[in-house]
Amino acid sequence: PWGGAVRVTSAPGLDSLRVAPCRTGGAILAWRDTRRSSGEQVFAQRLGRNGRAAWRRGGVPVCTAPGRRDCLALVSDGRNGAYLTWADSRPAGEVFAAHVGDDGNLVRGWERDGTPVCAALSGVISVQMVSDGAGGAIVAWTDDRRVYPGTHFTLRTTQAMRLLAHGPATPPPTAGAIAPLAGAPGPGAANAPGAAFALRGMQPNPGRPGSVIRFALADGTPASLDLLDVAGRKVWSREVGALGAGEHSVRIADGAQLPPGVYLARLEQGARIATAHVVIVR
């Protein structure tokens, strides 16, 4: 029915093309290209059964952050969207993931330019992903996680994580809406400076236990600041409502023995919830 070949993009430096099926027919494509001067970017496009592009002409940007992208993987989410993962040269992590919905927008709970799945390591060798058969995906990667002191030997390990519709195995920040992929903030970042209730995030990020996390409260009613691991378990909590309305900062997980990794900070006050990903390193 297409009547011949269909041009998806003519961007320069295109490689690492990946294809996944759509539930209603057609396919989702993902690739790297160098159309911008900041390095290798990741784009995606959905083609309908008639071969026509369903998303933005030339593809929707999934990751346009400066740096290098490798080991791109793509699987269907069981509908008309897809999960993407890749190895990345940014210091916030070396494996990143994204979930693009059926309309070409980033699903709420996923950060612009990718959500970090693992913290900075010595090097990622490969990244692979499969559908979990329930609307999510499982990503696995091999890395040189440990370097033995005083030697040139490394311990090569394989790690894995489940990706849910709203993010990497953590509870959804809120139900419902999605945020646009282009220019979309990460979870919690939609609360711009000046808002009555907001979670600004950890500084620096990546950081260590004891790094400062900044937030704003709407009033003096009870509020809690929690830290959850990738399995959704609460590993640290502090009641912060007594600080009252306005801007505040506390040392997150001060004194706690937290292993390096990606965590979800959650600020809750009444019906209001804000979240932000934080990365703990050694």
Side-chain angles (χ1 to χ4, degrees):
W2 290 15
V6 174
R7 175 173 291 183
V8 177
T9 180
S10 56
L14 189 150
D15 68 2
S16 301
L17 179 64
R18 304 290 185 263
V19 183
C22 292
R23 185 188 64 181
T24 57
I28 295 175
L29 291 77
W31 64 89
R32 299 184 309 173
D33 66 43
T34 56
R35 70 183 72 179
R36 303 182 183 182
S37 60
S38 57
E40 299 165 336
Q41 296 91 42
V42 176
F43 288 81
Q45 180 63 273
R46 180 163 71 89
L47 301 179
R49 300 178 65 145
N50 58 4
R52 295 179 181 173
W55 296 343
R56 183 186 310 180
R57 182 178 179 181
V60 295
V62 178
C63 178
T64 59
R68 188 186 70 252
R69 320 273 102 84
D70 294 306
C71 307
L72 180 63
L74 171 76
V75 298
S76 169
D77 65 1
R79 296 175 291 277
N80 289 323
Y83 294 94
L84 299 89
T85 58
W86 62 90
D88 202 294
S89 62
R90 283 175 287 171
E94 288 199 354
V95 177
F96 281 73
H99 183 194
V100 181
D102 58 3
D103 57 358
N105 288 335
L106 191 70
V107 174
R108 184 174 178 84
W110 293 86
E111 299 182 32
R112 179 185 177 187
D113 292 330
T115 296
V117 173
C118 78
L121 306 170
S122 299
V124 174
I125 311 303
S126 66
V127 181
Q128 299 186 47
M129 184 168 50
V130 295
S131 170
D132 68 357
I138 298 190
V139 57
W141 65 93
T142 301
D143 60 59
D144 291 336
R145 180 166 293 262
R146 184 181 303 167
V147 179
Y148 289 102
T151 75
H152 297 290
F153 295 103
T154 61
L155 176 64
R156 183 160 293 176
T157 64
T158 296
Q159 313 291 324
M161 180 178 291
R162 187 181 183 192
L163 306 179
L164 305 180
H166 54 264
T170 53
T174 56
I178 56 176
L181 183 61
N191 302 295
F197 175 84
L199 181 57
R200 313 291 187 210
M202 188 174 72
Q203 298 178 4
N205 192 18
R208 293 176 172 79
S211 294
V212 170
I213 191 164
R214 303 185 185 281
F215 58 94
L217 297 177
D219 49 45
T221 58
S224 63
L225 180 62
D226 304 320
L227 196 65
L228 294 84
D229 65 13
V230 294
R233 296 169 299 202
K234 189 183 299 184
V235 297
W236 176 83
S237 182
R238 175 171 171 176
E239 204 290 322
V240 294
L243 298 175
E247 299 281 342
H248 305 286
S249 63
V250 300
R251 296 197 176 276
I252 192 167
D254 197 10
Q257 297 299 315
L258 295 178
V262 180
Y263 295 86
L264 187 76
R266 182 177 64 193
L267 178 66
E268 193 168 352
Q269 187 175 40
R272 295 177 289 263
I273 298 176
T275 63
H277 284 96
V278 301
V279 180
I280 301 295
V281 296
R282 286 189 178 89

